Amino acid sequence: MKISENEDSITVYLTGDIDHHSARGIREDTDAVVQMKKPSVLNLDFSGVNFMDSSGIGFIMGRYRLMSLYGGVVRVVNVPEGLAKMMNLSGLSALDIMERRGEKIESTK
Amino acid sequence: MKVQNEMSMSFESRSSNEGFARCAVSAFVTQLDPTISELNDIKTAVSEAVTNCVVHAYRNTIGKIYINVRIKENFVVVIKVRDTGCGIGDVRQAMQPLFTTAPSEERAGLGFAVMQSFMDKVNVRSKTGKGTTVTLEKRLSCRVGNG
Ligand SMILES: Nc1ncnc2c1ncn2[C@@H]1O[C@H](COP(=O)(O)OP(=O)(O)OP(=O)(O)O)[C@@H](O)[C@H]1O
Ligand SMILES: [Mg+2]
């Protein structure tokens, strides 16, 4: 997992399989940086993720709540085709944190 | 429906086995030449069922998880995931989307909803104090060269 920082945003590049087993480490690493930097935007970049079950949805919702605590936002970016079904089913689109198709986000480069 | 091939395995309810379980089932089903998306659906549903055994059925303990996979006629795959853990008191309620008994652990309450939308059929049999069996069924698309 790689993390990059801009002035006011942090991008977490998630990789591999996200399941109940791996979510714990990902959560701890992400929250450590977020709590230290308190960015106004947290980008969760899924481009390197091969597999994700509902534990990944729990992870996104947890970060959404954490960021909301101090007025920050979460953005879910670069979701691979294979994860689209899971993301759609989750109802996360209602939170308006999903990157829209065609819209590229600066900090993901 | 006639069973054409069958596989069974059991393993301990350690979270490190979640990846092993879904990959083992996926490797077995690969002989049917499924599409990538079908294989991903199966892996995801198995991951949900196995994680539920680890997280809920055997909470704070280690127990055995049993998986049985049957390949039947017409490319039908039937997967049973069984535990002898705490069981589910109200299965209908448990299967409601967003229902979870572990919200503080960042569970989304979507496991059963995912199984239902990624598979053709999901059946849950459970008895409090005895355990739970989740049966997942999916018919794979028939592709030329299959047989
Ligand atoms: N094998 C099981 N043994 C005991 N209880 C279970 C089992 N499977 C599911 N449950 C109960 O059913 C509820 C719903 O399960 P479901 O998988 O839909 O959501 P979850 O596991 O709570 O969250 P998520 O799957 O999104 O991480 C669980 O919270 C738990 O109370
Ligand atoms: Mg679950």
Side-chain angles (χ1 to χ4, degrees):
Chain A
M1 190 173 109
K2 220 181 76 199
I3 297 176
S4 78
E5 294 172 35
N6 279 344
E7 307 101 75
D8 212 19
S9 72
I10 286 177
T11 302
V12 173
Y13 297 89
L14 303 156
T15 54
D17 289 13
I18 302 181
D19 62 7
H20 161 252
H21 181 68
S22 68
R24 184 196 184 132
I26 296 170
R27 182 169 64 225
E28 285 170 359
D29 292 352
T30 304
D31 289 5
V33 201
V34 167
Q35 264 146 2
M36 196 166 64
K37 302 282 173 188
K38 299 214 162 37
S40 39
V41 181
L42 170 65
N43 293 307
L44 300 174
D45 187 306
F46 281 80
S47 54
V49 177
N50 306 312
F51 172 88
M52 182 179 103
D53 66 17
S54 66
S55 305
I57 303 301
F59 168 76
I60 298 171
M61 301 208 298
R63 303 304 64 69
Y64 174 81
R65 279 193 289 270
L66 178 67
M67 292 300 291
S68 306
L69 282 181
Y70 51 87
V73 294
V74 170
R75 313 217 56 186
V76 175
V77 303
N78 295 329
V79 175
E81 191 68 30
L83 301 189
K85 198 167 168 180
M86 177 65 69
M87 294 288 186
N88 290 338
L89 185 126
S90 71
L92 283 174
S93 50
L95 295 179
D96 201 28
I97 58 175
M98 309 293 294
E99 176 187 34
R100 287 184 193 84
R101 217 165 266 287
E103 177 192 79
K104 279 280 164 254
I105 285 172
E106 261 310 287
S107 55
T108 58
K109 65 173 177 250
Chain B
M1 245 192 291
K2 241 173 66 193
V3 176
Q4 296 181 333
N5 198 359
E6 183 170 6
M7 176 279 268
S8 293
M9 62 182 202
S10 67
F11 52 92
E12 291 191 335
S13 63
R14 300 182 190 279
S15 66
S16 53
N17 286 332
E18 291 158 5
F20 159 73
R22 63 176 177 264
C23 289
V25 172
S26 150
F28 183 68
V29 171
T30 296
Q31 62 189 279
L32 288 175
D33 192 24
T35 64
I36 290 171
S37 133
E38 287 169 338
L39 213 49
N40 186 55
D41 287 354
I42 289 173
K43 274 174 86 168
T44 310
V46 169
S47 194
E48 297 297 347
V50 169
T51 300
N52 280 350
C53 302
V54 174
V55 173
H56 306 294
Y58 298 120
R59 172 164 293 272
N60 302 323
T61 58
I62 296 290
K64 279 271 172 71
I65 299 172
Y66 304 86
I67 294 187
N68 170 270
V69 185
R70 289 176 179 184
I71 294 173
K72 299 191 172 179
E73 284 166 2
N74 299 320
F75 312 97
V76 172
V77 179
V78 181
I79 304 162
K80 280 187 201 289
V81 179
R82 181 169 68 88
D83 66 68
T84 56
C86 67
I88 304 172
D90 185 342
V91 171
R92 264 180 75 157
Q93 180 188 47
M95 291 181 82
Q96 299 273 318
L98 305 183
F99 177 85
T100 180
T101 49
S104 63
E105 295 158 40
E106 299 198 341
R107 313 297 339 150
L110 288 173
F112 281 126
V114 167
M115 291 183 241
Q116 282 175 320
S117 87
F118 284 41
M119 302 294 282
D120 296 337
K121 282 188 204 161
V122 179
N123 184 271
V124 181
R125 283 182 45 208
S126 191
K127 216 169 167 190
T128 314
K130 291 258 186 255
T132 303
T133 302
V134 174
T135 307
L136 306 164
E137 187 174 319
K138 191 178 185 71
R139 188 183 163 173
L140 305 181
S141 59
C142 167
R143 295 202 284 171
V144 183
N146 260 339

